[in-house]
Amino acid sequence: MLNPVHLRTLTAVVDAGSFADAARRLGYTASAVSQQIAALERAVKMPLFERGAHTITPTPAAVYLVRRAVDVLSALDALEEDVRGMSAGRIGRLRLGSFPTASQRLLPIGLAAYARSYPSVEILLDEGEPDELLPLVRAAELDLALVYRYDLAPRAWPEDLEEIPLLEEELLLLLPEHHPLAAAEAVALADLRRATWVAAREGTAGASCLNRLCAQAGYQPQLDYRSNDYSVIRGFVRSGLGVALVPALAHQPSEGVVVTRLDGVEARRRVVAVYRPAAANPVVTGAVEVLRQAGARLAGELPGVSAQA
């Protein structure tokens, strides 16, 4: 196999016309240049220079090698530049996982900024709930995933994953516009003891959080309608079928639906990015930074959203 270093040296010698001049250009000694040319001659099994008392003349084989080496060395230079770009996170592929409300509110801001800053990084997006995304991160099928947890439904991520806080959301109360409490600035959970609730599916973190909040208020909520689609939940509230508690990212202003806060409730949903350090992709660093910036921007625009330190 031909050594690209030796090919570069050959090109320099042919261009300079002497071993000494080529050595000065390359930062080598003349002896080192001579040894490299000798090694290349052994590799190609042909002489590359006719050596006179004070001159050298490239053989046809040397001229041919130099001509062919131009494209090879140029391609190698491009590859080395790409490798430097990959190691710096400027080139590559980002395989990102996200849950629906983050995809709707956080990612349009974050990924647009990321694409502008890192145009040579390909972005692939997969969507799912935390229990679906975490195994993909651990299996190195995703580089980074946006997931969430509720304060009253705590969970620990696997030990091989690193967590990066992005933002936290208040839990907002949705009421039909004609509900008796619709004009209140804040509503106590105790005042909703007889309410019918529209909630996420049983066993989800959101449903568990609602059950525990109501338990703290001394009752078990009446859960007649369940959906993991927040547009469905808003539609049921708008129709007067019940009330709902949703994280701030999930709230979209909607005619016929009043949003207010729960009095005395400090529970939050927390959005974090997770990745596996053992399989860290260099592009993750830049992605996390733009997602943090997107979270800070949302915190300034959306009620109930604040950036996490």
Side-chain angles (χ1 to χ4, degrees):
M1 183 176 294
L2 298 182
N3 187 324
V5 174
H6 296 167
L7 290 175
R8 290 188 192 279
T9 299
L10 172 66
T11 301
V13 172
V14 171
D15 184 57
S18 75
F19 288 174
D21 289 343
R24 281 190 290 271
R25 292 184 185 182
L26 296 171
Y28 297 153
T29 64
S31 175
V33 168
S34 179
Q35 291 172 18
Q36 289 186 34
I37 296 301
L40 184 57
E41 288 176 326
R42 289 193 296 271
V44 300
K45 298 181 174 59
M46 291 181 291
L48 296 176
F49 291 96
E50 296 178 15
R51 294 165 172 81
H54 301 289
T55 62
I56 57 170
T57 303
T59 66
V63 173
Y64 176 82
L65 278 176
V66 169
R67 187 170 66 248
R68 292 295 304 273
V70 170
D71 291 339
V72 173
L73 295 176
S74 177
L76 185 59
D77 287 341
L79 177 59
E80 290 176 344
E81 179 60 29
D82 285 349
V83 170
R84 287 190 290 270
M86 290 175 64
S87 67
R90 299 191 306 271
I91 296 174
R93 174 183 293 175
L94 173 65
R95 299 166 302 171
L96 176 65
S98 178
F99 58 95
T101 49
S103 297
Q104 293 166 8
R105 309 302 287 270
L106 184 64
L107 290 191
I109 300 171
L111 291 188
Y114 186 78
R116 288 193 297 270
S117 299
Y118 301 91
S120 296
V121 175
E122 179 185 9
I123 304 169
L124 302 178
L125 177 64
D126 196 2
E127 194 172 80
E129 293 299 312
D131 287 338
E132 299 170 308
L133 298 177
L134 291 173
L136 298 179
V137 178
R138 300 189 72 193
E141 295 179 31
L142 289 177
D143 301 305
L144 184 69
L146 304 186
V147 294
Y148 61 81
R149 65 168 179 266
Y150 285 79
D151 287 348
L152 294 184
R155 65 177 301 165
W157 314 121
E159 291 184 357
D160 57 343
L161 299 184
E162 185 83 14
E163 170 187 320
I164 302 165
L166 295 179
L167 53 84
E168 60 183 47
E169 309 163 69
E170 290 184 35
L171 303 181
L172 304 177
L173 179 65
L174 304 186
L175 300 170
E177 64 179 349
H178 299 302
H179 192 280
L181 298 173
E185 291 186 3
V187 176
L189 267 175
D191 294 335
L192 297 168
R193 183 182 303 274
R194 293 181 175 81
T196 297
W197 289 86
V198 187
R201 291 202 308 263
E202 187 174 0
T204 61
S208 298
C209 182
L210 174 61
N211 280 319
R212 290 170 185 172
L213 282 170
C214 291
Q216 291 176 354
Y219 66 93
Q220 182 175 348
Q222 180 179 335
L223 298 167
D224 287 0
Y225 307 104
R226 292 184 182 274
S227 175
N228 279 9
D229 186 331
Y230 288 112
S231 63
V232 171
I233 291 175
R234 285 193 300 273
F236 277 41
V237 173
R238 184 185 309 112
S239 298
L241 293 171
V243 302
L245 194 64
V246 301
L249 283 183
H251 172 59
Q252 297 274 7
S254 178
E255 185 177 352
V257 177
V258 173
V259 60
T260 187
R261 289 178 167 82
L262 286 175
D263 189 26
V265 171
E266 299 296 332
R268 299 287 187 271
R269 186 174 78 164
R270 303 182 187 277
V271 179
V272 302
V274 295
Y275 72 100
R276 191 162 69 96
N281 184 336
V283 301
V284 165
T285 300
V288 167
E289 182 57 32
V290 297
L291 289 171
R292 278 178 168 160
Q293 293 171 5
R297 175 175 163 183
L298 278 180
E301 296 177 353
L302 293 182
V305 176
S306 57
Q308 276 190 272

